[in-house]
Amino acid sequence: MKYLALYFITFLAIACGSNNETNESPRSDSNKESKTDSTETQTQLIPPVEIKDYAWIINISATPDQTEASSEVQKLMGKNPEGKYGYLWIPDYKSLSGKELFVVFQGPYMSMDNAMEELIEIQKTNPNSYAVKASKESDTREAIYGKFDIRINNKKENIVLIYATPKDEEEYTGEDWGWFVNDVSEYMQKEVDNLYIGSLYRSWFTEKDIQKIEKELSPEGFGYICIKPNGEKIFIGHDMPDGVISQMCSFFEYECNREE
């Protein structure tokens, strides 16, 4: 699955949002009901979350018992009333494992950025946490395990982070930067499968993260930070799209044949 990063001619912007909605509705299917003979207990069940189209969730636990899943969600809500929690039936979503289990999660989140921000906080106390995209339409598994660990079908993505400081963006009066970034992004996302394109300053990276990368690469002006799954990084300065694409393909070892 490819991600879309659109940058317009004035300021750098990434469209990460989604119009997807979530709706909670109780299950009626017999194989998805909790195994309990207590009518009173069943009426107290929190219904599973029904995600329309897709959304990101942060996995907490999984169980074959709906009553247990509902109970865990209630406990989580009791500990953190302001938190977002729920559970869903895994087989309803093509992108998940297909196991006949209810997964308890934090979320849902309509964008990967929001899921990543929450995941980073959770990993401070639970480093093994991860987020996954629950989709009804696509069987592609998309998951995030860390700031630089984004995976498609369990394969780590290469990463391109558009680089432009807020000050440079504010002072910039030209037009070519926005057009060139859009040209590079569209081509790379069309031709390359295992590539995530985002932004260093307009994403989930903290000031400390940014300072660390800037110290390591010493980027100047506008450009692109390219990161391999093994952590190897380079900075490619702003240039004509063909030149930038050629350097990216060489670094990531892609076969890119750009045709005008």
Side-chain angles (χ1 to χ4, degrees):
M1 175 62 67
K2 303 168 183 177
Y3 300 87
L4 182 61
L6 296 178
Y7 298 83
F8 298 96
I9 61 177
T10 53
F11 296 100
L12 192 67
I14 296 179
C16 313
S18 171
N19 292 326
N20 299 299
E21 302 174 356
T22 59
N23 179 36
E24 295 190 359
S25 59
R27 293 284 177 191
S28 59
D29 305 80
S30 59
N31 67 323
K32 301 171 188 175
E33 293 292 342
S34 172
K35 296 180 180 180
T36 175
D37 294 327
S38 172
T39 303
E40 181 180 355
T41 300
Q42 287 189 17
T43 59
Q44 295 176 354
L45 286 177
I46 295 176
V49 173
E50 186 72 22
I51 295 174
K52 295 181 180 179
D53 195 8
Y54 70 84
W56 287 86
I57 60 174
I58 299 176
N59 288 25
I60 296 176
S61 65
T63 174
D65 191 297
Q66 185 176 6
T67 301
E68 183 178 339
S70 175
S71 177
E72 184 166 358
V73 170
Q74 291 176 344
K75 289 177 182 178
L76 290 167
M77 290 179 171
K79 293 179 180 179
N80 182 16
E82 297 182 358
K84 296 170 59 178
Y85 303 100
Y87 70 94
L88 55 76
W89 177 246
I90 290 178
D92 284 344
Y93 301 87
K94 293 181 179 180
S95 63
L96 302 183
S97 67
K99 295 180 180 179
E100 295 192 348
L101 297 171
F102 294 94
V103 60
V104 177
F105 62 83
Q106 181 166 327
Y109 305 98
M110 296 300 101
S111 74
M112 191 177 77
D113 275 17
N114 290 339
M116 179 70 86
E117 290 170 358
E118 292 297 325
L119 179 63
I120 291 170
E121 288 299 313
I122 292 173
Q123 287 183 335
K124 292 177 180 179
T125 54
N126 188 357
N128 295 322
S129 296
Y130 68 95
V132 65
K133 189 176 183 180
S135 173
K136 288 189 173 183
E137 302 300 325
S138 173
D139 60 2
T140 300
R141 179 177 174 81
E142 300 180 46
I144 47 180
Y145 291 83
K147 296 177 183 179
F148 300 99
D149 190 349
I150 302 167
R151 305 183 193 183
I152 302 294
N153 292 330
N154 298 318
K155 183 178 181 180
K156 282 189 177 183
E157 296 277 274
N158 291 304
I159 297 173
V160 172
L161 299 175
I162 308 303
Y163 181 81
T165 68
K167 181 179 179 181
D168 285 342
E169 284 188 337
E170 183 178 350
E171 296 177 350
Y172 185 69
T173 58
E175 296 182 352
D176 60 342
W177 167 241
W179 287 112
F180 289 1
V181 166
N182 189 62
D183 198 8
V184 170
S185 299
E186 285 188 347
Y187 177 83
M188 295 300 291
Q189 290 182 112
K190 179 181 178 181
E191 298 297 326
V192 179
D193 290 327
N194 63 323
L195 179 69
Y196 170 79
I197 300 180
S199 167
L200 183 63
Y201 273 88
R202 297 179 182 274
S203 192
W204 49 77
F205 298 101
T206 65
E207 184 176 346
K208 186 176 180 180
D209 295 328
I210 294 172
Q211 290 175 350
K212 183 178 180 181
I213 292 176
E214 289 179 332
K215 183 177 181 180
E216 180 179 354
L217 297 177
S218 299
E220 294 183 3
F222 298 88
Y224 311 80
I225 294 170
C226 302
I227 307 172
K228 290 182 178 180
N230 64 7
E232 183 181 354
K233 305 179 185 69
I234 64 166
F235 174 73
I236 299 174
H238 173 41
D239 201 349
M240 297 293 290
D242 285 347
V244 171
I245 289 170
S246 178
Q247 291 183 70
M248 284 186 183
C249 290
S250 177
F251 177 70
F252 290 125
E253 300 178 5
Y254 295 143
E255 291 290 336
C256 295
N257 298 310
R258 180 171 165 80
E259 295 181 1
E260 296 293 342

